[in-house]
Amino acid sequence: MAAYKAPLRDMRFVMNELFSGTTLHQLPGYEDMTPDVIDAVLEEAAKICEQVLHPINRSGDEEGCTYENGVVRTPKGFREAYQTFCDGGWTSIACKPEFGGQGMPKLVNSMVEEMICSSNLSFGMYPGLSHGAYVALEAYGADELKQQYLPKMVSGEWSGTMCLTEPHCGTDLGMIRTKAEPRGDGSYAITGTKIFISAGEHDLTENIIHLVLAKLPDAPEGAKGISLFLVPKFLPDADNTPGPRNGVMCGAIEHKMGIKASATCVMNFDGATGWLVGQPHKGMQAMFAMMNTERLAVGVQGLGLGEASYQGALAYAKDRIQGRSLTGTKNPEAKADPILVHPDVRRMLLTQKATMEGSRALVGWVAQALDLANHHPDPAVRQESEDLVALLTPIVKALLTDLGYEATNIGVQVYGGHGYIREWGMEQYIRDARIAQIYEGTNGIQALDLVGRKMPANAGRSLRRFFHPVAEYLEAKGDDDDMEEFVLPLAKAFTRLQQATGAVAQKGMVNRDEAGAAATDYLRLFGLTALAYLWCRTVDVARARLAEGANGDAAFYEAKIKTARFYMQRVLPQTGALFSCIMAGGASMMDFADHEF
Amino acid sequence: MAAYKAPLRDMRFVMNELFSGTTLHQLPGYEDMTPDVIDAVLEEAAKICEQVLHPINRSGDEEGCTYENGVVRTPKGFREAYQTFCDGGWTSIACKPEFGGQGMPKLVNSMVEEMICSSNLSFGMYPGLSHGAYVALEAYGADELKQQYLPKMVSGEWSGTMCLTEPHCGTDLGMIRTKAEPRGDGSYAITGTKIFISAGEHDLTENIIHLVLAKLPDAPEGAKGISLFLVPKFLPDADNTPGPRNGVMCGAIEHKMGIKASATCVMNFDGATGWLVGQPHKGMQAMFAMMNTERLAVGVQGLGLGEASYQGALAYAKDRIQGRSLTGTKNPEAKADPILVHPDVRRMLLTQKATMEGSRALVGWVAQALDLANHHPDPAVRQESEDLVALLTPIVKALLTDLGYEATNIGVQVYGGHGYIREWGMEQYIRDARIAQIYEGTNGIQALDLVGRKMPANAGRSLRRFFHPVAEYLEAKGDDDDMEEFVLPLAKAFTRLQQATGAVAQKGMVNRDEAGAAATDYLRLFGLTALAYLWCRTVDVARARLAEGANGDAAFYEAKIKTARFYMQRVLPQTGALFSCIMAGGASMMDFADHEF
């Protein structure tokens, strides 16, 4: 199995040099988050990921979870690893101090999340889903519920789930059939079947807290009639330890393409006792609080797996000797040259590197904006940052899971036949990454969210949070000849994005199918342009550092500049094709009669 | 599991309307191959694929092959299916009548191969590899060997393998270490270890005939010192039944991402008795006879799996109701509309349809050329056809496996979360398809073959076999206003291809790494342009048929025209991005020092 080393140098670059990690402690509430503290956190996170989670990633895939009579067992080593994880406080880092959390900035948490995803995505699903449930409960739960449940969820003693999907509905939650009957004592009887429930049942924690979407008897039709309920596996006793078993059982686990060590459960609720979270019929609101957090986290999954695959592929390309360089022997002592000499292998590796480092920068940008939105004293800054997060969330989710999946596929290709063999671990990254393009809203749904909700939101105000800084940047760099090779391609892509935005908005107003037909290509055009912008900003920083002497780290900054060049020349041109597809409109698909497919 | 129906209507279109299937019987040697005969063959093939092979595809994936003490067992049902397959004469259809074969045209055989790959790729590997061994032995074996072995391989009683790869070398076969010692009696003692040997050991046939690359004691260094040997599992008796066990054993089988019912074996040769096939040190020549056949067959694997995935996705998109059309309810009787109403779902399905039907046309073109190369009385036509096959072989292999893989991924996306669950069978297509981009020469190697060998071959003569007909077509259609929407995009892509060809040839002469850096993008640019040409020709036929009244089949021809339109507007624009990447040159990758990755 390929080794994994957390890319701490690049994480520090994104945090401290590209964004405001070094000044985080100047924000109210983050006073303790000095660069030294953050550095120590990242180093500890790297250790547990490299030494505890990564070593059970392959074995977890081989063994998978097992199901017997409602009981789910995680693979060998997962219980011990989870204990270590909780002992280290890793379930609590992004939670509020009032519930026992460490209140770490999102900028730090997102880097830790990436490491977890790189080293063992299946494992990461358990605390990841808990955190989603924490977010929804913390935002919408009544104080009493929060006091009772959140501290144990924060400590990791109890875990959480989000129970949304049913056999006949996923995207279209308005159709759910799970019922909630008021019992008159403030509690409700929940009855129905949920599927695809990650961490729905397992042996890592003493209790599991389900957040369940269900309909009250007087619920209006559709998505406006959905409420959210808290349903624990064991009803807590007076001293808040798990008491009697509640009426919720795991009926089966799914056999999946990947993330096999993550239990994906069918959950049967049979008059289970639950409590309302938030207002009646307003469950979608609470769900979206969780969902937005999860969407960013899923984008990070794509990044994490792509990074892991890149590391594996690079090590192999340096080690594997096969054939000779096209321009003459490079390694005369051996029978062949390492495959890293071949341009096509470099093309593959650099595609991984350029897209994954670009993705990390995008995550950093959004995470910084989240920190500003939550902690900046100026309400205008908070609003601006919130807008940017809302706009970029579907892009992070869809673009990064697509790029991450593409990167995992490249990793297998670099290995040749060996990549197809399970033992090497490279094909597992493909299988694990494939789900990220689907869950928490398919990437097609993300694209519709972007063109249908985020684009028109507040008369285009959200959109301007991206367009304005890029336009200003291009304006400022217009005369910088040294930057031309980077700025010109950005300007070209940005023009395409602006024109496409106008066209989609205009055509979509007349015919919403036109917006739908453009959505996926538009999201990718947007995302690749955003990465180009961040690569330009990266080059600015790298050039400044090199001019200052680079402090012994010149190779890192040189590599940044070269990777940016590769991105501009070899990745960004896709925007031209995307632009053509968008401008071609939707008629070529909508004109098909059903029988003509 | 999604149902599979052989796309016979489209196969007949490609064979009889787009190419010369209906006139095949006018070629010497194909006198019996009248359209009626061919039709009957395709219908029988469809039956066995749909009713015998497809039903054991999912179960074969779940069960996989098992290994114990040198014995390999195929999954339940494979032995019976193989018997039915042999009884139907399917192992023999593309073999020469003098060895018991049916001598069917390649045009027919390629359609049958597609059906086999769609319904059960793992199963198809066993007869597929046998056929590769048949081809090499038939072309290069001594008469005695051929008389002894070929009839039993043609009947399917014995199967064959190709033993090339060793643990330390795949692409670079010059490094192989397997030794062949002459015994003085005309036989050789073969010793060494081969890996990744498909069908190396199994329980389907009474004997297995290995074709093994090995080095004679006096072998020159590198690929010029490789010889090919025939090594049977059991040495045939005087009456040509399997006699004593030979010194070759299966040491293990690989655990793979997919094609799990195909046994991928480690084969240990320990002084095994073998006979030379062809001339000493000329084994690579014989290997390439097999390899070219296999490369086309692997391209067809991509097509077959993409087609199967399309069929599954289309059925689901018509059946699954979820959400409402963006332009208003289309299915008021139900709680939601089928997802086929959504433009983004149509975009996905039509990408599958346009690329798979285009791929089928490309396979038909090459298969027709092979038939002409083998049977046409005019040597000039034979030469031309051979050139075209040589040129298009790497494109069929790489482009069709890439497009096929992309199609299988789309199939999963259309299913949403259900696509990730093994039970539905959609994710198996991804896992099965992934290997086709790797084996029989990775797609990167195909691209190098195209730019490094095929492009310069015979001073560009091969290249002209494609460029001339396309240029003539564009010339002829220049004034046809009705065709403009198809011909103009083709002309644009073709211009890009011509310019890129000039640039790659020129830069590659100065610096071979420049050709290597462009190769993969160039191959795809070439392939997508070839598909655009075939889509134009398809529209010509469809329009002509519609003008004649279409004989009750108007919807089929209308759909062809619409699909061509989608291809031009939504797939072909990629050529612009590929062109930019090619023209950007290779410096952005070659300038990286090893430590800068």
Side-chain angles (χ1 to χ4, degrees):
Chain A
M1 185 176 56
Y4 168 70
K5 288 290 286 179
L8 291 176
R9 178 65 188 90
D10 198 48
M11 289 178 168
R12 288 192 189 107
F13 174 81
V14 170
M15 282 194 38
N16 299 332
E17 302 181 68
L18 198 53
F19 299 114
S20 63
T22 46
T23 55
L24 270 175
H25 62 284
Q26 293 166 3
L27 291 176
Y30 285 159
E31 289 81 359
D32 299 338
M33 303 297 154
T34 58
D36 282 359
V37 169
I38 290 173
D39 242 25
V41 169
L42 292 184
E43 269 169 28
E44 284 307 308
K47 269 186 213 159
I48 187 170
C49 289
E50 294 165 4
Q51 297 167 16
V52 178
L53 304 187
H54 188 61
I56 54 171
N57 187 39
R58 267 275 301 139
S59 56
D61 179 66
E62 286 296 333
E63 188 183 338
C65 290
T66 51
Y67 173 89
E68 203 179 355
N69 289 330
V71 176
V72 174
R73 285 195 181 78
T74 54
K76 198 159 165 276
F78 271 55
R79 282 173 63 91
E80 295 76 7
Y82 185 75
Q83 202 48 57
T84 309
F85 194 83
C86 293
D87 291 348
W90 298 107
T91 54
S92 71
I93 63 167
C95 302
K96 291 198 173 172
E98 58 192 288
F99 302 110
Q102 301 176 57
M104 288 268 170
K106 201 54 197 161
L107 198 49
V108 181
N109 189 45
S110 65
M111 302 292 166
V112 176
E113 279 179 348
E114 184 201 316
M115 296 183 213
I116 296 170
C117 296
S118 287
S119 53
N120 195 328
L121 176 56
S122 280
F123 179 91
M125 294 292 287
Y126 297 96
L129 266 292
S130 279
H131 190 66
Y134 161 89
V135 168
L137 189 56
E138 198 276 321
Y140 290 94
D143 270 348
E144 205 180 330
L145 278 184
K146 286 159 69 164
Q147 294 304 337
Q148 187 175 12
Y149 288 95
L150 287 182
K152 295 231 175 183
M153 291 171 74
V154 169
S155 70
E157 286 164 277
W158 296 358
S159 65
T161 76
M162 289 296 306
C163 301
L164 282 49
T165 303
E166 299 184 5
H168 63 292
C169 68
T171 298
D172 186 2
L173 288 171
M175 296 202 289
I176 66 167
R177 292 179 191 145
T178 299
K179 300 265 172 246
E181 296 278 346
R183 287 216 176 110
D185 62 352
S187 76
Y188 296 80
I190 312 291
T191 302
T193 297
K194 297 286 181 179
I195 64 167
F196 298 167
I197 308 309
S198 297
E201 181 60 54
H202 58 79
D203 56 0
L204 300 182
T205 56
E206 60 175 33
N207 205 0
I208 301 173
I209 313 307
H210 305 286
L211 294 191
V212 186
L213 291 183
K215 290 195 167 181
L216 289 164
D218 60 342
E221 275 287 294
K224 286 181 182 144
I226 297 176
S227 306
L228 185 67
F229 298 88
L230 181 154
V231 182
K233 176 179 168 186
F234 294 103
L235 296 163
D237 275 342
D239 59 351
N240 215 24
T241 58
R245 179 77 192 235
N246 200 355
V248 49
M249 285 288 285
C250 175
I253 58 174
E254 304 287 352
H255 301 281
K256 309 187 298 296
M257 182 185 191
I259 53 166
K260 294 190 180 189
S262 164
T264 305
C265 303
V266 175
M267 298 304 297
N268 297 317
F269 295 85
D270 186 14
T273 300
W275 292 271
L276 189 65
V277 176
Q279 299 302 306
H281 317 318
K282 301 277 189 203
M284 293 298 277
Q285 200 181 11
M287 196 203 71
F288 269 106
M290 175 287 297
M291 194 70 107
N292 282 326
T293 301
E294 291 298 309
R295 285 180 174 177
L296 293 173
V298 171
V300 172
Q301 294 177 2
L303 163 60
L305 292 169
E307 167 69 27
S309 180
Y310 171 64
Q311 291 192 18
L314 177 59
Y316 189 77
K318 287 180 172 175
D319 184 60
R320 172 80 170 177
I321 62 166
Q322 199 79 181
R324 289 295 184 189
S325 162
L326 296 168
T327 52
T329 295
K330 299 287 182 288
N331 185 28
E333 316 84 72
K335 284 217 155 191
D337 290 335
I339 61 172
L340 185 61
V341 302
H342 302 303
D344 196 57
V345 171
R346 289 170 168 249
R347 181 189 58 79
M348 292 193 278
L349 292 168
L350 290 171
T351 302
Q352 293 181 302
K353 182 178 169 72
T355 53
M356 291 307 100
E357 291 182 11
S359 294
R360 188 172 296 121
L362 184 62
V363 168
W365 195 20
V366 176
Q368 170 188 252
L370 267 168
D371 287 331
L372 295 173
N374 292 331
H375 288 264
H376 202 278
D378 180 349
V381 174
R382 290 205 301 272
Q383 179 66 63
E384 254 178 53
S385 303
E386 242 173 59
D387 289 345
L388 185 71
V389 171
L391 177 70
L392 293 182
T393 294
I395 294 174
V396 168
K397 197 281 180 180
L399 182 78
L400 268 55
T401 58
D402 283 349
L403 293 177
Y405 186 65
E406 291 161 24
T408 63
N409 271 289
I410 291 173
V412 163
Q413 197 70 21
V414 170
Y415 271 67
H418 297 279
Y420 199 66
I421 307 299
R422 295 222 298 271
E423 189 185 348
W424 291 83
M426 297 301 287
E427 59 85 42
Q428 184 187 343
Y429 294 135
I430 293 183
R431 290 185 291 101
D432 286 355
R434 187 64 187 83
I435 188 59
Q437 297 169 299
I438 297 173
Y439 60 19
E440 305 299 345
T442 64
N443 286 1
I445 292 294
Q446 303 303 319
L448 286 180
D449 179 45
L450 179 65
V451 300
R453 288 204 196 97
K454 303 301 166 61
M455 211 162 94
N458 305 310
R461 193 185 71 205
S462 300
L463 217 49
R464 288 193 293 276
R465 302 307 185 198
F466 177 80
F467 279 70
H468 279 186
V470 177
E472 277 166 26
Y473 179 84
L474 288 170
E475 179 78 24
K477 294 286 172 176
D479 297 330
D480 186 343
D481 288 348
D482 291 342
M483 281 298 287
E484 193 182 312
E485 59 168 320
F486 305 105
V487 169
L488 220 59
L490 169 63
K492 215 164 150 179
F494 187 58
T495 304
R496 286 169 178 149
L497 176 62
Q498 287 174 304
Q499 289 183 18
T501 304
V504 171
Q506 212 163 12
K507 286 198 223 171
M509 281 221 285
V510 182
N511 177 356
R512 294 184 67 190
D513 277 339
E514 282 294 329
T520 290
D521 290 333
Y522 179 79
L523 184 146
R524 192 170 173 107
L525 168 59
F526 202 137
L528 292 176
T529 305
L531 260 51
Y533 168 62
L534 293 169
W535 271 117
C536 281
R537 299 255 322 255
T538 295
V539 172
D540 289 334
V541 174
R543 285 159 50 94
R545 291 287 183 278
L546 285 167
E548 293 159 7
N551 217 355
D553 216 3
F556 177 81
Y557 297 111
E558 292 286 1
K560 279 287 180 201
I561 295 170
K562 291 180 181 183
T563 309
R565 187 172 294 136
F566 178 87
Y567 182 83
M568 298 300 170
Q569 293 185 12
R570 289 283 179 159
V571 180
L572 196 60
Q574 283 177 38
T575 54
L578 294 163
F579 180 70
S580 300
C581 289
I582 294 165
M583 301 309 275
S588 70
M589 22 192 132
M590 300 318 293
D591 285 351
F592 265 82
D594 287 7
H595 68 273
E596 288 173 335
F597 277 90
Chain B
M1 184 176 57
Y4 168 70
K5 287 290 285 179
L8 292 175
R9 178 65 189 92
D10 198 47
M11 289 179 168
R12 287 191 191 109
F13 173 81
V14 170
M15 282 194 38
N16 299 331
E17 302 181 67
L18 197 54
F19 298 114
S20 64
T22 48
T23 56
L24 270 176
H25 62 283
Q26 293 166 3
L27 291 176
Y30 285 159
E31 291 81 359
D32 300 339
M33 302 299 154
T34 58
D36 282 0
V37 168
I38 291 173
D39 241 26
V41 170
L42 292 184
E43 270 169 27
E44 285 306 308
K47 271 187 212 158
I48 188 170
C49 288
E50 294 166 4
Q51 296 166 15
V52 178
L53 304 187
H54 188 61
I56 54 171
N57 187 40
R58 266 275 301 139
S59 56
D61 179 67
E62 286 297 332
E63 189 182 336
C65 290
T66 52
Y67 173 89
E68 202 180 356
N69 290 329
V71 176
V72 174
R73 286 196 180 78
T74 55
K76 199 159 164 274
F78 272 55
R79 281 173 64 91
E80 296 75 6
Y82 185 75
Q83 200 50 56
T84 308
F85 193 83
C86 294
D87 292 347
W90 298 108
T91 54
S92 70
I93 63 167
C95 302
K96 290 198 172 170
E98 58 193 288
F99 301 110
Q102 300 176 57
M104 288 268 170
K106 202 55 197 161
L107 198 48
V108 180
N109 189 45
S110 64
M111 301 293 165
V112 176
E113 279 178 350
E114 184 200 316
M115 296 183 212
I116 295 170
C117 296
S118 287
S119 53
N120 195 327
L121 176 58
S122 281
F123 178 91
M125 294 292 287
Y126 297 95
L129 266 293
S130 279
H131 190 65
Y134 162 89
V135 168
L137 189 55
E138 199 278 321
Y140 290 95
D143 270 348
E144 206 179 331
L145 277 186
K146 286 160 69 167
Q147 294 304 336
Q148 189 175 12
Y149 288 95
L150 288 182
K152 296 231 175 183
M153 292 171 74
V154 169
S155 70
E157 287 163 277
W158 296 358
S159 66
T161 76
M162 290 294 307
C163 300
L164 282 50
T165 304
E166 298 183 5
H168 63 290
C169 69
T171 298
D172 186 1
L173 289 171
M175 295 201 290
I176 66 167
R177 292 179 192 145
T178 298
K179 299 266 171 243
E181 295 279 346
R183 286 218 177 109
D185 62 352
S187 76
Y188 296 80
I190 313 291
T191 302
T193 297
K194 296 286 182 179
I195 64 166
F196 298 167
I197 308 308
S198 297
E201 181 59 55
H202 57 80
D203 57 0
L204 301 182
T205 56
E206 61 175 31
N207 205 359
I208 301 172
I209 312 307
H210 304 287
L211 294 191
V212 186
L213 291 183
K215 290 195 168 182
L216 289 164
D218 60 342
E221 276 286 294
K224 285 180 182 146
I226 297 175
S227 307
L228 185 68
F229 298 88
L230 182 152
V231 182
K233 175 178 169 185
F234 294 103
L235 296 163
D237 275 342
D239 58 351
N240 215 24
T241 56
R245 180 76 194 233
N246 200 356
V248 48
M249 285 288 284
C250 176
I253 58 174
E254 304 287 352
H255 301 281
K256 309 187 298 294
M257 182 186 192
I259 53 166
K260 294 189 180 189
S262 164
T264 305
C265 303
V266 176
M267 298 304 297
N268 297 318
F269 296 85
D270 186 12
T273 300
W275 290 271
L276 188 65
V277 176
Q279 299 301 306
H281 317 317
K282 301 279 189 201
M284 292 299 276
Q285 199 181 11
M287 196 204 70
F288 268 106
M290 176 285 298
M291 195 68 109
N292 282 326
T293 301
E294 291 297 310
R295 285 180 174 177
L296 293 173
V298 171
V300 172
Q301 294 176 3
L303 164 59
L305 292 169
E307 167 68 27
S309 180
Y310 171 63
Q311 291 193 19
L314 178 58
Y316 189 77
K318 287 180 172 176
D319 185 60
R320 173 80 170 177
I321 62 166
Q322 199 79 181
R324 291 294 185 189
S325 162
L326 296 168
T327 53
T329 295
K330 299 285 182 288
N331 185 28
E333 316 85 70
K335 283 215 157 194
D337 291 335
I339 61 172
L340 185 61
V341 302
H342 301 304
D344 196 57
V345 172
R346 289 170 168 249
R347 181 189 60 77
M348 292 194 277
L349 291 168
L350 290 171
T351 302
Q352 293 180 303
K353 182 178 169 72
T355 53
M356 290 306 101
E357 292 182 10
S359 294
R360 188 172 296 121
L362 183 63
V363 168
W365 195 21
V366 177
Q368 170 187 255
L370 267 169
D371 287 330
L372 295 173
N374 291 332
H375 287 265
H376 201 279
D378 181 349
V381 174
R382 291 204 300 272
Q383 180 65 64
E384 254 179 53
S385 304
E386 242 172 59
D387 289 345
L388 184 71
V389 172
L391 177 70
L392 293 182
T393 294
I395 294 173
V396 168
K397 197 281 181 179
L399 181 77
L400 268 56
T401 57
D402 283 349
L403 293 178
Y405 186 66
E406 291 161 24
T408 62
N409 271 289
I410 290 172
V412 164
Q413 197 69 20
V414 170
Y415 271 68
H418 298 279
Y420 198 65
I421 306 299
R422 294 221 298 272
E423 188 185 349
W424 291 84
M426 297 301 288
E427 59 84 42
Q428 185 188 341
Y429 294 135
I430 293 183
R431 290 186 291 101
D432 286 355
R434 188 63 188 84
I435 188 60
Q437 298 170 298
I438 297 172
Y439 60 17
E440 305 298 347
T442 64
N443 287 0
I445 291 295
Q446 304 302 318
L448 286 180
D449 179 47
L450 179 64
V451 301
R453 288 205 195 97
K454 303 301 167 62
M455 211 163 94
N458 306 309
R461 193 186 70 205
S462 300
L463 217 48
R464 289 193 292 277
R465 302 307 186 197
F466 176 81
F467 279 70
H468 280 186
V470 177
E472 278 165 25
Y473 179 85
L474 289 171
E475 178 77 24
K477 295 286 172 176
D479 297 330
D480 187 344
D481 288 349
D482 292 342
M483 282 297 288
E484 194 182 312
E485 60 168 320
F486 306 104
V487 169
L488 219 59
L490 169 62
K492 214 162 152 181
F494 188 58
T495 303
R496 285 169 179 150
L497 177 61
Q498 287 173 306
Q499 288 184 18
T501 304
V504 170
Q506 211 163 13
K507 286 197 223 172
M509 281 220 285
V510 182
N511 178 355
R512 293 185 66 190
D513 276 340
E514 282 294 330
T520 290
D521 289 333
Y522 178 79
L523 184 145
R524 191 170 173 109
L525 168 59
F526 202 138
L528 292 177
T529 305
L531 260 52
Y533 168 63
L534 293 169
W535 271 117
C536 281
R537 301 255 321 254
T538 296
V539 172
D540 288 335
V541 174
R543 286 160 49 94
R545 291 286 184 278
L546 286 167
E548 293 160 6
N551 217 354
D553 217 3
F556 177 82
Y557 297 111
E558 293 286 0
K560 278 288 179 200
I561 294 171
K562 290 179 181 182
T563 309
R565 186 172 294 134
F566 179 86
Y567 182 83
M568 298 301 169
Q569 294 185 12
R570 290 282 180 160
V571 180
L572 195 60
Q574 282 176 40
T575 55
L578 294 162
F579 179 71
S580 300
C581 288
I582 294 165
M583 301 308 277
S588 70
M589 25 193 131
M590 300 318 293
D591 284 352
F592 265 82
D594 287 8
H595 68 273
E596 288 174 333
F597 278 90

